[in-house]
Amino acid sequence: DGADGADGPDRPDAGHASPSDEKRCSPSIEASHLTKKFGDFTAADDISFSVMPGEIFGLLGPNGAGKSTTFRMLCGLSRPTSGQCSVAGMDLLTAGSEARARLGYMAQKFSLYPDIPVVENIKIFAELYGLSRQRREELLPVLSGALELQDFLHSRTGDLPLGQKQRLALLCATLHEPPVLFLDEPTSGVDARTRRDFWKHISAITTAGAAVLVTTHFMEEAEYCDRIALIYRGAMIRMGTPDELKASCTSVEDPTLEEAFIGSIEEYDKNNPQ
């Protein structure tokens, strides 16, 4: 995967307020020794980490590295071969539907109904999430304003430009104000301004206390994350803040995150020859 710029951007919410200590005492997402095998092939191997309320946690890795497999297990779309995962304090393996009701999910591939107006897609998701009509009508102008969708509410969904489709998908994923939000390559294919608007919205959600797990291959976007796990050859080879990951790269003076990422892979390959 290529980088999207050597220098990371200023985080839209630089210094955003953290939730109270009480809210931060227990993880919103927990992965414990997650492993996924397909026959003799191990797609994800013994992966463990936790994400706290108000934290943006990134899964970073090249295509085929295992980050999507890990992501799918954590949001209940794929059952692990072994290990456990919980969302908002609920075990995904035993309280699946209840746990999934507490999360928002935005797929990489646009998956809303193309032949109906934008506002009808929003109404469908509101009903799926059990929102009252009053609450939906309170939230709709706020969210559509934040994501600049006000002028598109009565447009046919399939006719929207790609950037507006992605904004709509994010609105539908966050409509029920979930405490946990899963974003799979949320800005793939959109322009730089739309990406920045997305991250402003995501940062506002975490300021309110939600935990966000995001996959991305844009290095500049990874700078927005509070912590990052590097996934490679099915393993989590390094985890830390963007600054910690850069500091771990001693072969380059003042490395970018991309250089630190490449350095971690080269070190892993050297120590774990196939």
Side-chain angles (χ1 to χ4, degrees):
D1 293 316
D4 192 60
D7 297 319
D10 294 328
R11 182 161 170 169
D13 68 321
H16 74 275
S18 296
S20 67
D21 290 340
E22 292 80 5
K23 289 181 180 178
R24 293 186 66 89
C25 63
S26 58
S28 294
I29 304 169
E30 283 189 279
S32 179
H33 304 291
L34 281 182
T35 299
K36 182 70 174 183
K37 295 184 177 182
F38 298 95
D40 294 332
F41 175 68
T42 302
D45 188 15
D46 195 31
I47 291 174
S48 298
F49 61 84
S50 59
V51 185
M52 301 302 289
E55 184 176 25
I56 301 174
F57 190 94
L59 290 179
L60 201 63
N63 290 333
K67 70 178 187 295
S68 294
T69 300
T70 302
F71 184 88
R72 288 175 61 81
M73 287 189 286
L74 282 164
C75 54
L77 295 173
S78 177
R79 191 175 184 86
T81 305
S82 61
Q84 292 180 307
C85 45
S86 66
V87 172
M90 287 180 282
D91 188 329
L92 276 175
L93 299 181
T94 57
S97 60
E98 188 180 357
R100 281 191 289 272
R102 310 248 322 146
L103 62 87
Y105 171 70
M106 180 178 164
Q108 183 177 358
K109 188 174 186 295
F110 186 72
S111 55
L112 303 182
Y113 297 103
D115 296 324
I116 61 175
V118 166
V119 70
E120 294 303 320
N121 263 305
I122 295 170
K123 287 178 181 177
I124 288 170
F125 273 79
E127 288 179 14
L128 285 172
Y129 291 135
L131 264 64
S132 67
R133 180 174 178 174
Q134 179 184 351
R135 186 63 182 146
R136 183 190 77 210
E137 292 184 354
E138 287 171 354
L139 286 172
L140 183 55
V142 176
L143 291 175
S144 61
L147 290 165
E148 298 184 15
L149 280 168
Q150 313 98 307
D151 296 337
F152 297 91
L153 290 176
H154 299 288
S155 301
R156 179 181 175 273
T157 298
D159 294 337
L160 293 179
L162 177 60
Q164 301 303 331
K165 285 181 178 177
Q166 296 292 81
R167 291 170 189 262
L168 174 59
L170 183 59
L171 187 154
C172 289
T174 56
L175 188 61
H176 58 311
E177 301 173 287
V180 177
L181 181 61
F182 290 94
L183 304 172
D184 190 8
E185 299 277 358
T187 62
S188 183
V190 302
D191 60 61
R193 179 176 175 272
T194 299
R195 284 208 301 274
R196 186 166 179 82
D197 287 348
F198 258 59
W199 282 98
K200 284 182 180 178
H201 191 65
I202 292 164
S203 294
I205 290 166
T206 58
T207 299
V212 174
L213 183 73
V214 57
T215 68
T216 181
H217 65 272
F218 291 120
M219 292 296 166
E220 71 165 20
E221 289 197 348
E223 295 271 4
Y224 289 134
C225 298
D226 296 301
R227 286 187 300 142
I228 299 165
L230 298 184
I231 309 293
Y232 179 61
R233 281 169 47 182
M236 187 171 73
I237 64 172
R238 205 172 297 280
M239 180 172 66
T241 67
D243 285 344
E244 287 169 347
L245 295 178
K246 290 178 203 172
S248 73
C249 181
T250 55
S251 60
V252 179
E253 186 177 348
D254 192 23
T256 64
L257 191 56
E258 181 182 20
E259 289 168 333
F261 178 43
I262 293 169
S264 293
I265 285 177
E266 289 175 345
E267 180 183 341
Y268 185 84
D269 279 340
K270 181 180 176 181
N271 296 329
N272 300 272
Q274 286 184 312

